[in-house]
Amino acid sequence: MFSGSIPALVTPFRNGYFAESDFRALVEWQIEQGSSALVPCGTTGEAATMSAEEHFHVVKICVDQAKGRVPVIAGAGSNDTAVACANVHAAKEAGADAALMVPPYYNRPSQEGIFRHFEAVAQKTDLPIVLYNVPGRTVTDIHPSTMARIVTAFPTTFVGVKDATGTLGRVSEQRAGCGPDFCQLSGNDETALAFNAMGGVGCISVTANVAPKLCAEFQAALAAGDYATALTYQDKLYALHIAMFTDASPGPVKYAMTRVREGFPMELRLPMTEPSDAAKAAVDAALAHARLV
C-alpha cells in the first residue's frame, strides 16, 4: 500500500506556535522532490509536545496541502488504549489515508496486552494502520509472532510496519508470518538498503526531510533492483543518516533544515533542545559530503 521514500516530517514552530506557512511549503517541496507519502506528527514531528487539538490540526493542514497527490500517514499512537482509539478516529476525521501507531509505551504490556491494544483499536476504525515498532523509544517490542497474530486477525486494518528495531532478520520473520504483501518499511535510514534487499519496500525517513530528492532516487533504484546505483546513494547519504542522531532528535534534522531551506525555523519545544556544536559540525560535514550545501 505504501512504498518508497516517506519523510517523517518535522513540525516547524515560531514563537512557540505551529508555523503553518512553513509547514505547507515543506509539504509542497517534499511532493515536488519525489517523496511518495508523508508522515506528519510522528516522533520527528514532536507530537509528544502537542495537544490533541494541535496534533490533528497539523495532520489536517498536511492533508489539505497534499491534495491527494501522495498519501498521508498520521502519527496516532498512545500508551492509553482509549486515547489510541480516539486518535485514530481523529486521524480519519482530519482526512489521513492511514495512521502510524506504536505499541503502548511506558506501561510495558505483555505480548498479550499489545495484541489486545491493537485489537481494541481495530474494532473502532476501518482506517488502515501501519504498526510502528521502535523498542528504543517505547521499551515495548512487538515480537514477530505477535505481529503475525495482529495482521492475521485484522488483515485489512494492519497493512504494514515501520520497523525501527534495527534487527534486519525481522524482515524475513515478518514476511514469513505476515505474508509477502505485508508492507514493510524501514524505520532506520542507515540500514534501508539491506532492509529492502530482504523484502522491504521503502523507508519512513528522517533524512528525507533534508534530502528528499536523493532519498526518493535511492528508493527508486532499490525498487528497480539496481543495487549498484543504490549503493552510490548509500555512500553519499550514510554520513547524513548518522549525523541526524548525533544529538537528541529532531535537533540535528531541524538544524539541517535551516541549511537547505533558507529561513526555516530551528525552534524546538522542551524538553528537546538545540543540538550541540559538535552535532552541528557533523551535520555540516555530512551535508557537504552529500553536496547538499
Side-chain angles (χ1 to χ4, degrees), residues 102-121:
V102 293
Y105 44 86
Y106 186 76
N107 307 49
R108 301 183 69 181
S110 65
Q111 294 300 302
E112 180 66 20
I114 292 170
F115 175 80
R116 295 299 176 190
H117 173 84
F118 286 115
E119 177 186 53
V121 172

Side-chain angles (χ1 to χ4, degrees), residues 66-126:
K67 294 180 172 61
R69 289 173 291 171
V70 297
V72 173
I73 309 168
S78 175
N79 66 322
D80 180 332
T81 302
V83 173
C85 292
N87 283 352
V88 77
H89 176 74
K92 183 174 181 179
E93 288 291 302
D97 299 283
L100 181 69
M101 302 195 77
V102 293
Y105 44 86
Y106 186 76
N107 307 49
R108 301 183 69 181
S110 65
Q111 294 300 302
E112 180 66 20
I114 292 170
F115 175 80
R116 295 299 176 190
H117 173 84
F118 286 115
E119 177 186 53
V121 172
Q123 291 171 343
K124 295 289 186 179
T125 188
D126 59 359

